[in-house]
């Protein structure tokens, strides 16, 4: 991992951009901390530049609670090399949505599974690089979407102790099976009136999770309208489980 | 309203028992408050004596956030006169549950509607008596079950500004219709694995509420296992809307 830039935000948070091999990422750490702080991996739908305003707001919120936050660019997104297969699949998705056709399991698999397969080892490699940094301690939380990446990480990565998952994207059937193996504490966010998301599928997924402590927070406001108070609720969830 | 006893709890909270006509009730106020505080009406399934340990815990939690809390005995419960019709309906319910029969709409109506009809005016009368007390100010929140009482109160009682409803009891069809008229901010608690409660009906009810701000919190732990952290979440909900 190589740091490429560093800036101090007005609230004292230190923002450092880095590359992990060819993958761009950002690390935010609280302005002042006397001991190493837990780390939250912040998931997102891809496109660091486009997502930056929302990511930095989430990171500041984490830092205010005394957490570090980090994110990585997703495969085939932002400044990373495109994949012809992924582009074709996205085009198929847009065609299906535009035509009002159902998005079938085969398309969901093609859309999500390669992303999960490629991204999850990258996020684990990011943990290898981030956790030894001075000021960063365990344990680790995962927060956000893509929910399928969060599910797989929760199953395969023992350093992740709690996850706040955003149920707002397509989930392949096989990830439903993996959800049963998730036993870490979960908080699942669902936008009740998210027109692009299948509410019943999200409820079925919440039901499938094998965690003994799992909480569903459903709110109004559409896909991007998660209420501000859920940021506080997320901090309290992680404070319970990462401290 | 007549106060019948008064005691100071170890955390400074003042507990005063009262009767409103023939109806027993309890009022808890924070140990120290410089200005009149908002009031939370705490709903429960009936039986003040049996429910007392849980009610006082909830009231202390409210008081810690600077809220007063009050509750009333329900019609035909605790020390209040029994109703032959209500007893018979409860017996019919237990018979149906024991036989594994479905609880049909007619039985739910018989079980809940008379309770709502009788309890709601009583809780409104309690507001008339409680709000002029020194140290109590508006606005008012309703917290808990019986959810049908909470729904009716939210529709007919303009002094109630926010409601935290526990979706854990039978809801007559007509209350579903009234739910559409509820426009105050809502937080709805659902115990996901509550065996005695119809989960789908609770989700349909959440969907029906007309409120622009409504949040569903679903947790594990069975009917009586609402996690402790929901007490904090409830306080924050009321702090947002009653301050």
């Amino acid at each position: 991992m190589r740091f490429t830039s560093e800036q101090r935000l007005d609230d004292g948070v230190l923002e450092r951009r880095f590359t992990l091999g060819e993958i761009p990422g950002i690390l935010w750490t609280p302005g002042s901390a006397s001991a190493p702080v837990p780390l939250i991996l912040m998931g997102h739908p891809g496109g660091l530049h486009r997502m930056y305003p929302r990511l930095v707001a989430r990171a500041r919120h984490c830092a205010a609670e005394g957490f570090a936050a980090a994110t990585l660019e997703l495969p085939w997104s932002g400044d990373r090399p495109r994949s012809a297969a992924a582009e074709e699949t996205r085009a198929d998705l847009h065609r299906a949505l535009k035509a009002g056709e159902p998005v079938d399991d085969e398309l969901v698999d093609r859309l999500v599974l390669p992303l999960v397969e490629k991204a999850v080892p990258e996020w684990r490699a990011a943990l290898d690089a981030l956790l030894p940094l001075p000021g960063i301690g365990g344990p680790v939380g995962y927060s956000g979407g893509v929910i399928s990446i969060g599910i797989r990480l929760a199953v395969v990565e023992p350093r992740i102790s709690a996850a706040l998952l955003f149920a707002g994207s397509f989930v392949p059937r096989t990830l439903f099976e993996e959800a049963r193996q998730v036993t870490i504490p979960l908080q699942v966010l669902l936008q009740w009136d998210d027109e692009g998301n299948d509410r019943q599928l999200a409820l079925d997924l919440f039901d499938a999770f094998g965690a003994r402590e799992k909480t569903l927070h459903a709110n109004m406001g559409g896909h991007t309208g998660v209420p501000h108070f859920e940021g506080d609720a997320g901090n309290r969830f992680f404070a319970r489980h990462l401290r």
Side-chain angles (χ1 to χ4, degrees), chain A residues 166-180:
Chain A
F166 181 59
S169 52
F170 298 107
V171 178
R173 280 286 145 195
T174 174
L175 267 299
F176 267 76
E177 293 310 310
E178 291 182 40
R180 294 179 206 287

Side-chain angles (χ1 to χ4, degrees), chain A residues 4 7 28 38 46-47 87 91 115 123 132 135 156 160 176 190 199 201 212 221 239:
Chain A
T4 56
Q7 68 165 321
W28 293 270
E87 299 285 298
L115 184 69
W123 287 68
V156 301
I160 294 183
F176 267 76
L190 169 64
R199 183 198 299 164
L201 221 68
R212 212 165 53 91

Side-chain angles (χ1 to χ4, degrees), chain A residues 166 190-195 219-227:
Chain A
F166 181 59
L190 169 64
Q191 288 299 93
W192 194 255
D193 55 352
D194 183 344
E195 285 185 13
N219 289 287
M220 307 301 287
H223 185 78
T224 58
V226 176

Side-chain angles (χ1 to χ4, degrees), chain A residues 17 43 94 118 140 155 178:
Chain A
R17 291 180 181 255
H94 289 300
K118 190 156 167 62
V140 179
V155 172
E178 291 182 40

Side-chain angles (χ1 to χ4, degrees), chain A residues 74 115-116 119-120 123 142 146-154 175:
Chain A
L74 287 188
L115 184 69
V116 172
V120 166
W123 287 68
Y142 181 87
V146 175
I147 194 168
S148 295
I149 293 175
I151 295 169
R152 173 70 58 82
L153 273 170
L175 267 299

